[in-house]
């Protein structure tokens, strides 16, 4: 058998991972017919059937399942090669992607990106707002700002600082409802909820607030939109201290309730730390986040 075509192998791997030609095509930036031809070509070259069509899905055959782990290993090796090559780039230029939660991306990163642009005009920052943990090993982002310590051994993580959040409401809300100071004051007051699964409610209760679902005036699990609802006067909500500090028309409430504390970690792949553009961005973000702009 002749040497496999890498594009065909990627077509097989992504189709197997996504379970659909259309999803794999979108991920690879191809048209569905092009991807289908590549899958058919690798099946012809190998002389095996890798997939069976089940409705709109593509199910692996037993042979496809046997070959999948080998394809994954080849894909991981290719990614590692790309990481190593990126890490050896010493030019101070190019695009560096930074992933952060939507609130950090919207409120804390813009001044840091502006400062970095002024200092290093050759570097372009791509900001990726996401409340999910970006997969640095698969290059979904070059650098991530996280609130949990990563466990993967191939990642480098620097603890930046412990951040604090408090509870806030709008000035108009306080004029209407008064200024609640302690957890008992919160029992009958409206809050802006985060989810309808009970997770946020459980967190508030664990933090000592005697609230129920009846306290929620509305829900939103997108932090920036959640904060907009608080500013609109829909109820009490929590926010990072430095973000609330720079938000006009906001008053800290429940002053006697302990602060919410959480870590800020800056994370990147160990190979990328050998790249000068990555180091420049990493260090600039570390300094800015320590200062808590």
């Amino acid at each position: 058998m002749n040497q496999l075509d890498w594009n065909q192998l990627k077509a097989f791997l992504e189709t197997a991972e996504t379970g659909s030609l259309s999803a794999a095509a979108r991920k690879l930036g191809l048209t569905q017919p092009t991807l289908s031809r590549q899958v058919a070509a690798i099946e012809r070259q190998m002389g095996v059937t890798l997939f069976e069509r089940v409705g709109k899905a593509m199910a692996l055959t037993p042979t496809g399942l046997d070959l999948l782990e080998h394809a994954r290993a080849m894909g991981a090796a290719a990614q590692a090669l790309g990481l190593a090559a990126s890490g050896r780039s010493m030019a101070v230029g190019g695009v560096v992607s930074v992933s952060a939660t939507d609130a950090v991306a919207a409120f804390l990163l813009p001044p840091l990106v502006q400062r970095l642009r002024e200092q290093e005009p050759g570097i372009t920052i791509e900001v990726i707002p996401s409340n999910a943990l970006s997969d640095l090993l698969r290059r979904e982002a070059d650098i991530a700002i996280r609130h949990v310590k990563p466990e993967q051994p191939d990642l480098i993580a620097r603890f930046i600082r412990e951040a604090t959040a408090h509870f806030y409401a709008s000035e108009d809300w306080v004029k209407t409802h008064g200024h609640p100071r302690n957890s008992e004051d919160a029992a009958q007051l409206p809050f802006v909820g985060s989810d309808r699964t009970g997770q946020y409610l459980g967190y508030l209760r664990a933090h000592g607030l005697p609230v129920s679902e009846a306290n929620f005036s509305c829900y939103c699990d997108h932090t920036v939109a959640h904060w907009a609802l608080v500013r609109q006067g829909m109820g009490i909500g929590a926010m990072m201290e430095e973000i609330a500090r720079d938000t006009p028309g906001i008053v800290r409430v429940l002053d006697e309730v302990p602060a919410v504390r959480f870590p800020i970690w800056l994370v990147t792949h160990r190979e990328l730390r050998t790249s000068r553009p990555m180091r420049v961005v990493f260090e600039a973000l570390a300094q800015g986040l320590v200062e808590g702009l």
Side-chain angles (χ1 to χ4, degrees), residues 6-40 51 53 56-60 68 138:
W6 173 237
N7 289 325
Q8 295 173 6
L9 187 64
K10 284 196 296 184
F12 162 62
L13 183 57
E14 293 301 339
T15 302
E17 297 286 5
T18 61
S20 132
L21 288 171
S22 58
R26 286 194 300 271
K27 191 168 183 180
L28 293 174
L30 302 173
T31 65
Q32 184 171 331
T34 298
L35 185 77
S36 181
R37 286 194 296 270
Q38 290 181 346
V39 171
F51 296 99
R53 185 177 290 277
K56 295 183 178 181
M58 298 291 284
L60 284 165
L68 178 59
R138 297 190 66 174

Side-chain angles (χ1 to χ4, degrees), residues 224-244:
V224 174
H226 185 280
W227 189 232
L229 290 167
V230 174
R231 294 178 63 189
Q232 188 64 35
M234 292 301 298
I236 298 172
M239 179 52 68
M240 290 179 66
E241 184 176 7
E242 51 266 60
I243 294 175

Side-chain angles (χ1 to χ4, degrees), residues 132-151:
L133 295 180
S134 292
D135 189 343
L136 299 181
L137 298 181
R138 297 190 66 174
R139 295 300 295 274
E140 293 178 3
D142 297 319
I143 299 171
I145 301 170
R146 294 181 175 177
H147 301 305
V148 294
K149 184 178 181 180
E151 298 179 353

